[in-house]
């Protein structure tokens, strides 16, 4: 059973870069055909797809794309999210998840709250 | 992008009741690529339904999905205590994949 766990700072200052890592256990991010994904949920709001990475290295970012970078480290079985120039609007619970190629999200991490505040 | 509107925002019901939740899309969802998720407080969402009507592994048969085009529903035939939660719909037929704002099913 694949398990995912997010890690990273819970507080980020405005204009700085939010950095999160998702550690995957029980399966390899280098095998199978999945999108290793980042989803977020602002307080009191719905879910938002941020982007994903495939084992091939191909990435997809939801527009506008300029602030988002998703990468992977297969040696550590991890993938990461960087979101630059954050504002209070980026305050959310951030989830990492495994999606099928059809983008159904079958496995999720527990989520981590990131607050953007000075 | 496709906007999904879920209604109602909140439902107050009793265990044992039948409930139908609505998810309406601003454009037709291709190939009925619509999923439903259940989310309990402090937990990640759990996939219930994919392809509009297919139950995910381990999901009880009291959960059923229906619909096509722009109108989709999730029905819980008989509410169990563990079913009180927020339900989200997601379309993945067009990029970017988008979610509804959620419907909360609460105990009356």
């Amino acid at each position: 059973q694949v398990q995912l766990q997010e890690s990273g700072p819970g507080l980020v200052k405005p204009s700085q870069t939010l950095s999160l890592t998702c550690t995957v256990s029980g399966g390899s991010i280098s095998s199978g055909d999945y999108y290793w994904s980042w989803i977020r949920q602002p307080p009191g709001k719905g879910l938002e797809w941020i982007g994903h990475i495939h084992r091939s290295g191909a990435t997809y970012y939801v527009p506008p794309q300029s602030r988002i970078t998703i990468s992977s480290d297969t040696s550590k079985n991890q993938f990461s999210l960087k979101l630059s120039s954050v504002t209070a609007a980026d305050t959310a619970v951030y989830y990492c998840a495994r999606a099928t190629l059809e983008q159904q999200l079958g496995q999720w991490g527990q989520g981590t709250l990131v607050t953007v505040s000075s | 992008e496709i906007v999904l509107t879920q209604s109602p925002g909140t439902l107050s019901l009793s265990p044992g009741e039948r409930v139908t939740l609505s998810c309406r899309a601003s454009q037709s969802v291709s190939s009925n690529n619509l999923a439903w998720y259940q989310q309990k407080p402090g937990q990640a969402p759990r996939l219930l339904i994919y392809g509009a009507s297919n139950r995910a592994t381990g999901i009880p048969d009291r959960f059923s999905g229906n619909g096509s085009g722009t109108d989709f529903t999730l029905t819980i035939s008989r509410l169990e205590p563990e079913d009180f939660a927020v339900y989200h719909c997601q379309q993945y037929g067009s990029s970017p994949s988008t979610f509804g704002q959620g419907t909360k099913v609460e105990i009356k």
Side-chain angles (χ1 to χ4, degrees):
Chain A
Q1 175 78 350
V2 170
Q3 294 185 314
L4 300 93
Q5 178 69 59
E6 306 87 353
S7 60
L11 180 64
V12 181
K13 289 181 166 46
S15 79
Q16 294 190 343
T17 296
L18 178 159
S19 296
L20 295 174
T21 296
C22 183
T23 301
V24 179
S25 58
S28 172
I29 65 170
S30 301
S31 63
D33 250 349
Y34 298 102
Y35 290 134
W36 300 95
S37 307
W38 288 98
I39 312 294
R40 72 181 184 181
Q41 186 172 29
K45 296 188 178 181
L47 298 158
E48 300 173 357
W49 197 293
I50 300 171
H52 56 250
I53 187 166
H54 185 258
R55 59 180 170 86
S56 64
T59 54
Y60 171 82
Y61 305 140
V62 174
Q65 310 168 350
S66 57
R67 296 195 299 135
I68 305 168
T69 304
I70 295 175
S71 59
S72 63
D73 184 339
T74 55
S75 66
K76 296 181 179 179
N77 216 32
Q78 296 175 332
F79 62 105
S80 299
L81 168 70
K82 290 189 187 300
L83 183 65
S84 63
S85 304
V86 297
T87 69
D90 294 309
T91 293
V93 175
Y94 286 76
Y95 295 98
C96 59
R98 188 181 78 172
T100 65
L101 295 188
E102 293 76 28
Q103 298 187 49
Q104 303 150 21
L105 296 150
Q107 280 76 36
W108 297 66
Q110 66 183 27
T112 186
L113 173 63
V114 179
T115 301
V116 179
S117 174
S118 55
Chain B
E1 67 180 45
I2 294 180
V3 175
L4 298 180
T5 302
Q6 292 187 242
S7 60
T10 303
L11 276 169
S12 298
L13 297 163
S14 301
E17 289 194 84
R18 177 185 178 92
V19 59
T20 297
L21 311 180
S22 171
C23 178
R24 179 163 290 178
S26 60
Q27 308 168 39
S28 183
V29 176
S30 66
S31 304
N32 292 338
N33 285 328
L34 187 115
W36 290 93
Y37 298 83
Q38 177 193 68
Q39 186 177 26
K40 297 180 181 179
Q43 296 185 18
R46 175 175 72 142
L47 178 65
L48 297 176
I49 300 285
Y50 64 93
S53 61
N54 302 292
R55 275 187 299 275
T57 303
I59 301 304
D61 60 7
R62 65 180 181 273
F63 291 91
S64 62
N66 211 336
S68 63
T70 60
D71 290 296
F72 298 87
T73 58
L74 173 71
T75 297
I76 310 172
S77 60
R78 184 179 171 86
L79 278 167
E80 298 289 340
E82 62 268 28
D83 298 336
F84 291 92
V86 176
Y87 292 85
H88 304 273
C89 59
Q90 175 213 8
Q91 69 79 22
Y92 49 92
S94 301
S95 284
S97 175
T98 51
F99 296 86
Q101 80 279 19
T103 290
K104 182 179 182 180
V105 177
E106 63 178 21
I107 298 177
K108 188 172 183 180

